[in-house]
Amino acid sequence: GPASAWLQSLGNWGVVFYVLIFIVSSGLGLLPTYAQAVLGGWVFGITVGLPAALIGFTGGSIIGYAVARLVSRDKVEKVVEKYPKADAIRNALVGRGFWRTLGIITLLRIPPNSPFALTNLLLASCRVRMAPYTIGVLVGMLPRTAVVIGFAAAASAHAAATGKGD
C-alpha cells in the first residue's frame, strides 16, 4: 500500500531508495528480507525488481558481515579452536579454499528458510573471506529471490489488470 505508492511516486529514484533501504534494513536485521523482496517485485516487476533485490541482499549481507565481525571479533575463533571437533567442522566447511567455501556459502543461502541475519553472523564469526562470502550470497539468493519477485510481479500485474491493486 503506502510503501509501494511512495516508491512509485519517486520515479527512477524509487529504485535507488528501495535498494538503500533494503541494504540497511536487511544488514541490520530490521525488516524481513522476504517482505522487502515482495515489495520489489510488486513495485518494479521482475526486470528491475530482481536485480534491485539482489543488490539489496548483497549489500545487506556485507553490512551484516561487518557488524558481526565487529561484535564477535576473535571470540568465536578462540572457542572453536579449543574444541578440535568444532575446529575440524569449521575447516571442512569454510577452511578449504575459495571454491569450496563459495560452494558451501551458496548452498547455505539457497534454502528459503535460511535465516538471513543469523547466517551473516555465523559466517562472519567463522572468518569466512569476503569474496566467496559475497559471491555466495548473490548466487545462493538468486533462485529464491527470483521466485518471490516473480510471484509478486505476477500478483501486481493481475491486480492492475483487474483494478484491485494497492
Side-chain angles (χ1 to χ4, degrees), residues 4 6 10 19 74 93 97 101 109 149 154 164:
S4 64
W6 177 70
L10 297 174
V19 169
D74 294 334
L93 293 175
T101 302
R109 292 298 191 171
I149 296 273
K164 296 180 182 178

Side-chain angles (χ1 to χ4, degrees), residues 85-97 100-101 104:
K85 287 182 181 179
D87 195 36
I89 291 169
R90 183 189 54 82
N91 286 332
L93 293 175
V94 297
R96 294 241 175 120
R100 184 171 175 114
T101 302
I104 295 293

Side-chain angles (χ1 to χ4, degrees), residues 5 17 41 52 55 85 94 122 124 127 131-132 149 151 164:
F17 279 104
I55 292 168
K85 287 182 181 179
V94 297
L122 173 69
R127 298 185 157 272
I149 296 273
F151 279 128
K164 296 180 182 178

Side-chain angles (χ1 to χ4, degrees), residues 140-156:
M141 298 296 287
L142 177 61
R144 72 184 196 183
T145 304
V147 169
V148 169
I149 296 273
F151 279 128
S156 176

